[in-house]
Amino acid sequence: MIKIADVARAAQVSPSTVSRALTKPDLVAPETRERVLQAARQLGYQPNKLARGLRKQQSRLLGLIVSDILAPFHATLAKGVQDAAEKHGYMVFLFNSDEQPEKEARYLQELQSHWPEGLLIVPTAKTRQHLRNLRSAGSMPIIELDRTSGTPGVHAVLVENVLGAREAVEHLISLGHRRIGMVTGEPVITTAQERLEGYRQALKAAGIALDERLVANGYHKEEGGYAATLQLLRLPAPERPTALFVGNSEMAAGAVQAIRDLGLRIPEDISLVSFDDTRWAQLMEPALTVVAQPAYEIGYLACETLVSLLRQKAPAEGRILRLKTRLLIRHSTARPRED
Amino acid sequence: MIKIADVARAAQVSPSTVSRALTKPDLVAPETRERVLQAARQLGYQPNKLARGLRKQQSRLLGLIVSDILAPFHATLAKGVQDAAEKHGYMVFLFNSDEQPEKEARYLQELQSHWPEGLLIVPTAKTRQHLRNLRSAGSMPIIELDRTSGTPGVHAVLVENVLGAREAVEHLISLGHRRIGMVTGEPVITTAQERLEGYRQALKAAGIALDERLVANGYHKEEGGYAATLQLLRLPAPERPTALFVGNSEMAAGAVQAIRDLGLRIPEDISLVSFDDTRWAQLMEPALTVVAQPAYEIGYLACETLVSLLRQKAPAEGRILRLKTRLLIRHSTARPRED
DNA sequence: AAATTAACTGCAATCGTTGTCAAAAGCGGT
DNA sequence: ACCGCTTTTGACAACGATTGCAGTTAATTT
């Protein structure tokens, strides 16, 4: 690799001058500058970011930990973050915790040793402890995405989960459904709590009593969604739900398969709404009614916020931003059968 | 941040001893070692990777550039790479070229300045030039994924595109189809070339003349797939294909929509096979017959190969590994209608 | 023409870590 | 008590880039 000394030799100046010519061009004489720039170009010089970071005590690095890079929601989130980071000259270290707290802890350690200037994270169940253990956490701004860990002083960019869920369930109610089941996620995750709360509020507002048997845990995963859906649809006829609200798209995929395996038809036999939009939700037959989240915007906004936090060095107190969801009514919801 | 000098002070030893206690424990006396380790633990010391990298002239960093992180295939690829990298103590810098050569060039530059020890890349149309311009490329092992750029000396991990495509088309032929259309990707991309070649071979082996009008370019994207499919299915009846082979899943999504918009039914009116398996291909009705690729394995294997290349410092000559595809026959293919 | 100022450049120290070298300390044997 | 040996430790110099300070030259003013 070409280093600054090589360029200096080629341009017949000192390393200091090369450095200045490249980073503070107006401090060096025009001819010298030209000579240096040309030499640098010719040799293909690229400043070593390790050395620069060490000297300037800044890495221009951000850490991003998502909980499932294979889920389109998270991939989109990551893209938003990266695009925003790039705009401001930051690089992003992307990790995938797979919802596993141990992995998250390991990656946080690893990340820390690379001196990131800020951290963006989709927290898992143990994030709060992990962040407490991180020494540098006090100095480094942290933004949580999609969910919160409850760590004090941390910023977050989320969506209106309660409202979004409520609108989805109200849609079902307006179609005439009364027995509406919910497949929820891990109760420790705030999105699961909030979406369940929205479900509760919608029922309450419509004067429908909450039946605990109609709420099943799908643990945020496809298999869990499958199992939870089977459980709900195998209830004896009078209690069996005529519509299902599912907490995220992974579980919704399981739900669709469970419904098919039971030989039921959507929406004739059962209506289905899910949080989170995906390609398959649009392409499946019938297209799925969903609560769409602005995933890209969440990532982008979170990163913008982080960068602006880094600009003003005063460590602002934690603020929570919430973006709106949109209920996309497609063809998986209809009036309940009259029997 | 705690640095080595802080630990040294706390443990009453010199910085050198701290460094040794942490990295070469058997070179320091047991009691001293304990004292140092405890001080380090207590202070939450994390070695600064920037400084270490600078001093040791190694970054333990790998670069990964994929061409579309939102596509499940690429996300899975990335996961495979990361998992393998983590196993060997490497970090991965992930970038997304969005198939745009300029972005790729920019990221390659940016990456280079972080001193990666190796590079994994899903090449775009201009990768060959970009790599030629990279000074460090000579010293740094490079592995291409999914496609090749044709850069001499570069390693690659690909799939059996010709064979996979051929099997898919042979499947259609065995069902009785004779007019089979193909929606292909950008011709500069090797996967598109190879899959087209497989299509040709299958037709030839069955004694079916190739009709150029049955091959349409979908440019690797959903919209392109939509347009190409419309074009093929609007051919006058005698030439119109009874089956379609689509070069990747993005274009397949477009194809499905085009078919629906034309009011045709799969597989009664038209059979459909696509390269690349996805969640929606499994969930759509009817489930799509596909040529599945071992995406995770490609990433994992590529990274393993890269690491082993780094271990043995002799720069081995470029080798190409090809993994097998699997034809998953589902319900989007059937005998052609007799009319 | 001398004095003052401005513009430009180089020296040397620095960031945190590691490896080399040599000094110091401990040990057993004579 | 002294010698040679091993074990343990610390001082110091890098790695590559940046920057405060000081020095040199040229330009401007008196």
Side-chain angles (χ1 to χ4, degrees), chain A residues 135, chain B residues 7 22 33-34 36-45:
Chain A
R135 298 286 155 155
Chain B
V7 180
L22 293 169
R33 190 197 314 151
E34 258 325 297
V36 171
L37 259 44
Q38 190 174 338
R41 217 173 314 124
Q42 194 145 17
L43 294 172
Y45 171 74

Side-chain angles (χ1 to χ4, degrees), chain A residues 112-133:
Chain A
Q112 190 190 190
S113 71
H114 282 267
W115 274 31
E117 295 181 25
L119 174 66
L120 296 137
I121 185 168
V122 178
T124 66
K126 296 245 177 80
T127 301
R128 201 165 161 176
Q129 301 166 42
H130 295 159
L131 291 183
R132 192 153 0 110
N133 295 339

Side-chain angles (χ1 to χ4, degrees), chain B residues 15-234:
Chain B
S16 329
T17 304
V18 174
S19 173
R20 269 187 298 250
L22 293 169
T23 58
K24 297 161 181 159
D26 35 329
L27 284 186
V28 327
E31 320 132 46
T32 325
R33 190 197 314 151
E34 258 325 297
R35 199 146 35 92
V36 171
L37 259 44
Q38 190 174 338
R41 217 173 314 124
Q42 194 145 17
L43 294 172
Y45 171 74
Q46 282 290 119
N48 182 331
K49 293 264 163 97
L50 271 70
R52 174 182 287 177
L54 183 60
R55 172 66 231 240
K56 301 183 75 169
Q57 299 284 82
Q58 55 161 238
S59 59
R60 298 280 127 168
L61 225 60
L62 302 178
L64 169 62
I65 303 184
V66 300
S67 64
D68 181 8
I69 188 66
L70 296 185
F73 175 73
H74 291 251
T76 312
L77 215 61
K79 190 160 189 231
V81 169
Q82 284 219 331
D83 286 355
E86 200 206 326
K87 203 180 83 181
H88 297 290
Y90 280 85
M91 298 268 284
V92 176
F93 250 131
L94 175 59
F95 294 96
N96 183 220
S97 67
D98 267 330
E99 293 289 3
Q100 297 174 28
E102 323 82 64
K103 271 202 180 186
E104 182 185 87
R106 209 164 54 234
Y107 286 142
L108 278 171
Q109 290 267 322
E110 181 64 26
L111 196 51
Q112 190 189 191
S113 71
H114 282 268
W115 275 33
E117 296 181 23
L119 174 65
L120 297 136
I121 185 168
V122 178
T124 66
K126 297 243 178 83
T127 301
R128 201 165 163 177
Q129 301 166 41
H130 294 158
L131 291 183
R132 193 154 0 111
N133 295 341
L134 265 200
R135 296 287 154 156
S136 58
S139 58
M140 180 175 66
I142 299 176
I143 307 230
E144 295 182 334
L145 306 173
D146 180 48
R147 332 157 165 173
T148 50
S149 70
T151 306
V154 157
H155 300 248
V157 179
L158 318 172
V159 299
E160 298 274 12
N161 285 304
V162 177
L163 191 61
R166 189 172 162 160
E167 284 173 2
V169 177
E170 280 169 351
H171 165 60
L172 292 172
I173 293 172
S174 76
L175 287 170
H177 292 276
R178 285 292 172 276
R179 293 192 308 282
I180 301 172
M182 168 151 191
V183 177
T184 181
E186 281 280 11
V188 282
I189 306 292
T190 55
T191 50
Q193 293 161 12
E194 293 173 358
R195 291 169 196 176
L196 182 57
E197 173 60 21
Y199 165 80
R200 286 211 176 96
Q201 287 187 9
L203 292 186
K204 189 168 182 193
I208 302 173
L210 180 71
D211 183 346
E212 291 292 351
R213 285 168 307 175
L214 293 187
V215 176
N217 190 345
Y219 304 96
H220 276 102
K221 294 293 185 66
E222 178 165 353
E223 307 79 53
Y226 183 89
T229 303
L230 280 190
Q231 180 192 325
L232 293 176
L233 296 184
R234 278 183 175 153

Side-chain angles (χ1 to χ4, degrees), chain A:
Chain A
M1 280 293 298
I2 309 298
K3 54 182 140 177
I4 217 168
D6 301 323
V7 180
R9 206 172 317 117
Q12 313 251 53
V13 291
S14 75
S16 332
T17 304
V18 176
S19 172
R20 271 186 293 250
L22 294 169
T23 58
K24 297 161 183 157
D26 34 326
L27 283 187
V28 325
E31 321 131 47
T32 326
R33 190 197 313 151
E34 258 324 298
R35 197 145 37 90
V36 170
L37 259 42
Q38 189 173 339
R41 217 175 313 123
Q42 193 145 16
L43 294 170
Y45 170 74
Q46 282 290 120
N48 183 329
K49 293 265 163 100
L50 272 72
R52 174 183 285 178
L54 183 60
R55 171 66 232 241
K56 298 182 78 168
Q57 299 286 80
Q58 55 161 239
S59 60
R60 296 280 127 167
L61 225 59
L62 302 178
L64 170 61
I65 303 184
V66 300
S67 63
D68 181 8
I69 187 66
L70 296 185
F73 174 72
H74 291 249
T76 312
L77 214 61
K79 190 160 189 233
V81 169
Q82 285 219 331
D83 286 355
E86 200 205 328
K87 204 179 82 182
H88 296 290
Y90 280 86
M91 298 268 284
V92 176
F93 251 132
L94 174 59
F95 294 97
N96 180 221
S97 67
D98 267 329
E99 291 289 3
Q100 296 172 29
E102 322 84 62
K103 271 203 181 185
E104 182 185 88
R106 209 163 54 234
Y107 286 142
L108 278 172
Q109 290 268 323
E110 182 64 27
L111 196 52
Q112 190 190 190
S113 71
H114 282 267
W115 274 31
E117 295 181 25
L119 174 66
L120 296 137
I121 185 168
V122 178
T124 66
K126 296 245 177 80
T127 301
R128 201 165 161 176
Q129 301 166 42
H130 295 159
L131 291 183
R132 192 153 0 110
N133 295 339
L134 266 200
R135 298 286 155 155
S136 59
S139 57
M140 180 174 66
I142 299 177
I143 307 228
E144 296 182 334
L145 306 173
D146 181 50
R147 333 157 164 173
T148 49
S149 69
T151 305
V154 158
H155 300 248
V157 179
L158 318 171
V159 299
E160 299 272 11
N161 285 303
V162 177
L163 192 59
R166 190 171 162 161
E167 283 173 2
V169 177
E170 279 170 352
H171 165 62
L172 293 171
I173 293 171
S174 76
L175 287 170
H177 293 276
R178 284 294 172 274
R179 293 191 308 282
I180 300 172
M182 167 151 193
V183 176
T184 180
E186 282 279 10
V188 283
I189 306 293
T190 54
T191 48
Q193 294 161 12
E194 293 172 0
R195 290 168 197 178
L196 182 57
E197 174 60 20
Y199 166 80
R200 286 214 176 95
Q201 287 188 7
L203 293 186
K204 189 167 180 194
I208 302 174
L210 179 71
D211 183 344
E212 290 293 351
R213 287 167 307 176
L214 293 188
V215 176
N217 189 346
Y219 304 97
H220 275 102
K221 294 294 185 62
E222 178 166 354
E223 307 80 52
Y226 183 89
T229 304
L230 280 189
Q231 179 192 326
L232 293 176
L233 296 184
R234 277 182 178 154
L235 285 172
E239 286 127 43
R240 190 199 302 153
T242 60
L244 237 44
F245 171 52
V246 183
N248 75 4
S249 62
E250 299 297 309
M251 296 188 293
V256 169
Q257 289 183 310
I259 292 170
R260 287 192 186 150
D261 288 356
L262 287 173
L264 298 175
R265 299 183 341 153
I266 306 173
E268 293 83 354
D269 302 316
I270 178 128
S271 285
L272 187 62
V273 192
S274 153
F275 223 92
D276 203 6
D277 197 14
T278 60
R279 172 62 78 46
W280 67 260
Q282 294 160 241
L283 285 175
M284 73 173 265
E285 197 76 59
L288 198 60
T289 294
V290 297
V291 179
Q293 308 185 73
Y296 185 87
E297 286 74 17
I298 295 173
Y300 198 92
L301 182 60
C303 191
E304 286 278 344
T305 309
L306 184 54
V307 170
S308 78
L309 243 42
L310 289 170
R311 295 264 158 84
Q312 51 162 97
K313 19 203 61 175
E317 86 288 11
R319 278 172 50 94
I320 295 186
L321 292 173
R322 284 192 188 261
L323 303 186
K324 290 223 181 318
T325 59
R326 273 182 316 139
L327 178 65
L328 302 181
I329 298 175
R330 297 205 268 244
H331 308 293
S332 65
T333 46
R335 310 192 65 79
R337 270 212 312 227
E338 328 266 339
D339 12 57

